Amino acid sequence: MKQEKLIEGLLKLSGWLSLAITLSVMGVLLYNAAAFFAMVPLWEFITGTSWIPFAERKAFGMWPLLSGTLLTAGIALSLAMPLGILIAIYLSEYASEGWRRIARPALDLLAAIPTVVYGFLALVFITPMLQWFFPSIATYNALSPGLVMAFMVLPIITSISEDAMRAVPKIHKEAALALGATRWQIVRKVVVPAAFNGISAAVILAFSRALGETMIVSIAAGQQASFTFNPAVAIQTASSYIIQMSLGDVAQSSIEYSTIFAIGLSLFFLTYLLNNLSFWFRDRFRSSKIISAA
Amino acid sequence: MTPITNIFTLIEQLESWVERQRKGSFAVYGLIFTLLVVASVLTLFLYVSFAGYPRLDREFFTGYASRVPEQAGILPAFLGTLWVLFLVAVISFPLGVAAGIHLEKYVQNDRLSRFLEVNIMNLAGIPSVVYGLLGLQFFVRSMGLGESILAASLTLSLMVLPLVIISTREALRMVPQMHIDAAYAMGASKWQTIWLQALPQALPGIVSGTLLAVSRAIGEAAPLLVIGALAFVPFAPISIFDYFTVLPVQIFFWLSKPQNSFLVNASAAILVLLSITLFLNLLAVGIRERWHKRLKS
C-alpha cells in the first residue's frame, strides 16, 4: 500500500511536470528578455523599422524580422491553404476508401521529413528553378523557402480539415441529396460551411507552425534583416535571427545575447496566441458536433 | 410533346451534363493534386538518392569533419544522432507515460483536467527554436551541463514530451472498459489495474507514439544550434558529457558552405537521416496497425 502511494506520488509529479515546463519557458524568456528591455524601450522595439544589432549605432526595431517572418509564413499559407483544403475535400468526399488509406499516410509523411531536408530542397532545387523563370530573384529569397514550407504544413491542414469534414453528420448530406443537390453543391453548401470551424483551426495552426519554422528559412532565406515584403530578396525571420546569433561568438552578458531572448519571447507570444485561437475554433467544432448528434 | 417542354428537357439534360463534367473534373483535379504532392515527395527521395548515393562508402561513415569535402565523413554526427535517439527515448518514455497515466487516470476534476490538456497542447505548439532557448539557459548554463550530448537530449526530450503524453492518453483510452472493470471486480487496486491490465494492453500504442516522437527529435537542428552544437567535432563522442554534433546539424553546416561538393555530402547525409526517420515511422505505423487489429478482435 505504501509502495502504491509512492508510485502515485511519482505519477503526480510527472503529471505536473508539463506545467512546470510551460512556466520555465515563460520564466527563462521573460528573465533574459528583461535585460534587453532594460536597455531598449518596449515602444522602440514594437514600432522600430530597422534592426541593426552588430554595428556601432545599433537599432532594435522588430519590424524587419517580423516582416520576414510574416512574409515567409504568408507565402507558405497562400499555397498550403487552397491546396490543403482541396485535398481534404477530395479525400473526404470523392476518393475511394482504398486510395484514401494510401494517400493519407503518404501526406502525413510530409510532416515527418526533417526540416533541414526541406531547407536543402529550397536551396538547391526550388531557388534555381525560380531563377530560371525569373532571373532577377536573389539566391537567398523569401519565396523559395515559403513555397517549400507549404509542403511542410500541408498535412496539418489536410488532416484536421478532413477530420472536420468527415464529422459532418451524414444525415445533413443526405437531406441535401434528397433536395436534389449535386455532389459539388453538397460540398460547397453543406460540408464546407459545417466544417468551417475545423478548417479554421487547421489553417491557423498551420500558420503558427510556419511562423516558428526555423531551419528552412535559416538555410534558404538569407540573413538580411530588412523591412520589406518583397519575396524576391534576402530577408531574415525571427527564428533565423536566433540561429544566426547562436552560431556566432557573443558574450553572455552583452545586449546582443539578450536580443535572442527578446525575439524568442515575441515569437513565443505570437505562436501562443495563434495556437489558442486554433484551439478555440477546434472546441467550437467539437461542441457543435455534440449538438448535431443529439 | 410541346416544343416548350422539349426545350426544358434539353436544358435539364445540358445542366446535368455540365454537373457531371464538373463533378468528374473535381474528382480528377483532386486526384491530380494528391498525386502531385505524393510525387514531389518521391522526386525528392530520388533526387537525394542519385546525388548522395555515390558518396555512401565506408570512408563516409567512418570519417570525421574535414575542410576537404571528399574526405569529410559523418562518424561524429552519426554517433551523435544515435546517442540522441537512445537518450531521448530513455528520458521521454518513462516521464511521458507517467504523466499520461496521471492525467488520464488520476485527475478527477474536469476543470483541472481540461486546463492541463490545453497546457500540453500549448507545449506541443511552442516553436522548437524556443525550446533551444530554454535548454541553453536551463541545462547548459544553470545546471552546468555545458554544450553536451546530455544537454541536447534533455532539451529534445522536453520538446517531444507532449507527443508521448498525448499518445499515452489516447492508447489508455483505447483499452476496453470491460477489461478495467473485470480487474476491479477481481479485487485489484487502482494501480494494480493500471499496471497489470491497462498498461500492457496500451503499450503498443504508447511505443508507436514514442517512436514518432523520437523520430521528430533526431530530425531537429534548430534547438541544438541554439544550445551550441559544433560545426567540427574531431572525435567520436563516447560519453554523454562530450561535445556533440548530429546529422541535421552537420547537413546544415555543409549546406552553408559555398563549394558544390559539400552539397553532395549533404545529399548523402540526408539519405542516411531520411532512412532512419522513415524506418522509425514505418515501424511506428506497423506496430499501431497490428495493435488496432488485436484490439478489434
Side-chain angles (χ1 to χ4, degrees), chain B residues 278-293:
Chain B
L278 201 64
F279 173 73
L280 287 174
N281 273 274
L282 289 179
L283 195 64
V285 172
I287 291 174
R288 200 181 51 206
E289 289 296 312
R290 270 189 59 178
W291 176 59
H292 278 185
K293 262 187 203 145

Side-chain angles (χ1 to χ4, degrees), chain A residues 1 4 7-8 10-22 24-25 28-29 31-32 83 86-87 89-91 94 99 101 103 106-107 109-121 123-125 140 151 154 182-185 188 208-209 211-215 218-219 223 239 242-243 246-247 252 257 260-261 263-265 267-268 271-272 275-276 279 282-283 286, chain B residues 19 22-23 26-28 30-31 33-38 40-41 43-45 47-48 94-95 97-99 101-103 106 112 114-131 133-134 136-138 141 158 161 165 189-192 194 215-216 219-223 225-227 229 248-249 251-253 255-256 263 266-267 270 273-274 277-278 281 289:
Chain A
M1 243 9 235
E4 216 158 282
I7 290 170
E8 288 176 1
L10 287 175
L11 293 180
K12 191 167 188 172
L13 213 60
S14 317
W16 286 90
L17 179 68
S18 59
L19 198 63
I21 298 173
T22 311
S24 18
V25 169
V28 162
L29 292 177
Y31 173 77
N32 286 294
L83 193 62
L86 282 178
I87 289 179
I89 291 173
Y90 170 71
L91 287 180
Y94 289 86
W99 169 233
R101 284 180 56 155
L107 284 172
L109 209 58
L110 285 175
I113 294 176
T115 50
V116 281
V117 180
Y118 281 113
F120 169 88
L121 192 67
L123 186 66
V124 306
F125 216 62
Y140 294 105
F151 284 85
L154 192 68
T182 61
R183 218 168 173 184
W184 178 245
Q185 283 173 327
R188 234 187 45 200
S208 158
R209 190 64 58 85
L211 288 177
E213 169 44 40
T214 309
M215 293 320 293
S218 291
I219 290 170
Q223 287 167 346
S239 53
I242 297 176
I243 294 297
S246 305
L247 294 177
Q252 198 188 324
Y257 177 77
I260 62 174
F261 287 93
I263 293 297
L265 182 66
L267 191 59
F268 173 78
T271 51
Y272 192 86
N275 289 342
N276 283 286
F279 302 154
R282 207 193 57 165
D283 277 352
R286 284 199 178 157
Chain B
E19 200 46 63
R22 250 165 80 180
K23 181 185 100 185
F26 188 79
V28 171
L31 186 67
F33 283 143
T34 316
L35 279 178
L36 209 69
V37 173
V38 176
S40 53
V41 179
T43 319
L44 166 68
F45 273 94
Y47 179 82
V48 173
L95 279 180
V97 173
I101 293 174
H102 179 72
L103 297 178
Y106 286 93
L112 182 64
R114 174 89 194 112
F115 170 72
L116 289 172
E117 192 185 336
V118 169
N119 177 53
I120 286 171
M121 291 196 305
N122 269 314
L123 276 182
I126 296 177
S128 62
V129 68
V130 173
Y131 276 103
L133 294 173
L134 174 69
L136 175 66
Q137 177 65 50
F138 200 69
R141 297 260 152 76
L158 291 191
L161 196 62
I165 296 176
S189 68
K190 185 164 189 174
W191 171 244
Q192 282 170 331
I194 293 169
S215 108
R216 168 82 60 86
E220 271 296 344
L225 288 169
V226 173
I227 69 169
V249 168
I251 292 165
F252 171 71
F253 283 127
L255 285 177
S256 54
L263 283 185
S267 308
I270 283 174
L273 179 64
L274 275 181
T277 312
L278 201 64
N281 273 274
E289 289 296 312

Side-chain angles (χ1 to χ4, degrees), chain B:
Chain B
M1 207 183 268
T2 58
I4 296 276
T5 45
N6 251 338
I7 288 168
F8 274 129
T9 44
L10 193 71
I11 289 174
E12 255 170 29
Q13 273 170 1
L14 203 70
E15 269 183 340
S16 77
W17 182 81
V18 167
E19 200 46 63
R20 267 206 311 279
Q21 294 304 307
R22 250 165 80 180
K23 181 185 100 185
S25 66
F26 188 79
V28 171
Y29 288 144
L31 186 67
I32 289 172
F33 283 143
T34 316
L35 279 178
L36 209 69
V37 173
V38 176
S40 53
V41 179
L42 282 178
T43 319
L44 166 68
F45 273 94
L46 285 177
Y47 179 82
V48 173
S49 304
F50 275 114
Y53 184 73
R55 193 69 188 78
L56 284 181
D57 47 20
R58 229 175 92 185
E59 279 74 36
F60 188 66
F61 281 100
T62 56
Y64 296 91
S66 166
R67 280 175 214 291
V68 186
E70 286 76 20
Q71 288 169 9
I74 56 165
L75 183 67
F78 188 67
L79 290 178
T81 290
L82 290 185
W83 266 120
V84 167
L85 195 156
F86 171 72
L87 286 174
V88 168
V90 167
I91 297 166
S92 69
F93 182 74
L95 279 180
V97 173
I101 293 174
H102 179 72
L103 297 178
E104 189 62 30
K105 298 286 184 187
Y106 286 93
V107 178
Q108 307 290 352
N109 183 336
D110 268 359
R111 266 239 186 98
L112 182 64
S113 162
R114 174 89 194 112
F115 170 72
L116 289 172
E117 192 185 336
V118 169
N119 177 53
I120 286 171
M121 291 196 305
N122 269 314
L123 276 182
I126 296 177
S128 62
V129 68
V130 173
Y131 276 103
L133 294 173
L134 174 69
L136 175 66
Q137 177 65 50
F138 200 69
F139 297 125
V140 177
R141 297 260 152 76
S142 301
M143 283 176 67
L145 296 176
E147 288 109 356
S148 62
I149 294 176
L150 184 60
S153 304
L154 285 168
T155 306
L156 291 177
S157 299
L158 291 191
M159 191 189 86
V160 299
L161 196 62
L163 303 180
V164 181
I165 296 176
I166 291 168
S167 62
T168 301
R169 298 186 67 175
E170 278 173 1
L172 284 173
R173 249 175 260 155
M174 297 276 285
V175 176
Q177 187 61 36
M178 216 198 317
H179 297 185
I180 308 288
D181 293 342
Y184 280 131
M186 302 290 283
S189 68
K190 185 164 189 174
W191 171 244
Q192 282 170 331
T193 307
I194 293 169
W195 181 247
L196 298 170
Q197 194 62 351
L199 210 51
Q201 286 198 56
L203 195 63
I206 301 172
V207 169
S208 162
T210 308
L211 285 174
L212 290 179
V214 170
S215 108
R216 168 82 60 86
I218 61 161
E220 271 296 344
L224 303 186
L225 288 169
V226 173
I227 69 169
L230 294 183
F232 282 97
V233 177
F235 55 85
I238 47 167
S239 141
I240 53 172
F241 296 107
D242 279 344
Y243 289 115
F244 71 98
T245 191
V246 292
L247 283 172
V249 168
Q250 184 67 68
I251 292 165
F252 171 71
F253 283 127
W254 274 337
L255 285 177
S256 54
K257 302 252 183 213
Q259 297 100 311
N260 244 337
S261 25
F262 275 115
L263 283 185
V264 178
N265 286 5
S267 308
I270 283 174
L271 204 54
V272 176
L273 179 64
L274 275 181
S275 311
I276 304 175
T277 312
L278 201 64
F279 173 73
L280 287 174
N281 273 274
L282 289 179
L283 195 64
V285 172
I287 291 174
R288 200 181 51 206
E289 289 296 312
R290 270 189 59 178
W291 176 59
H292 278 185
K293 262 187 203 145
R294 211 175 64 200
L295 275 182
K296 268 181 202 157
S297 63

Side-chain angles (χ1 to χ4, degrees), chain A residues 156-170:
Chain A
I156 301 174
I157 298 185
T158 50
S159 66
I160 303 178
S161 310
E162 197 207 334
D163 285 344
M165 288 173 195
R166 291 175 85 80
V168 175
K170 214 172 173 194

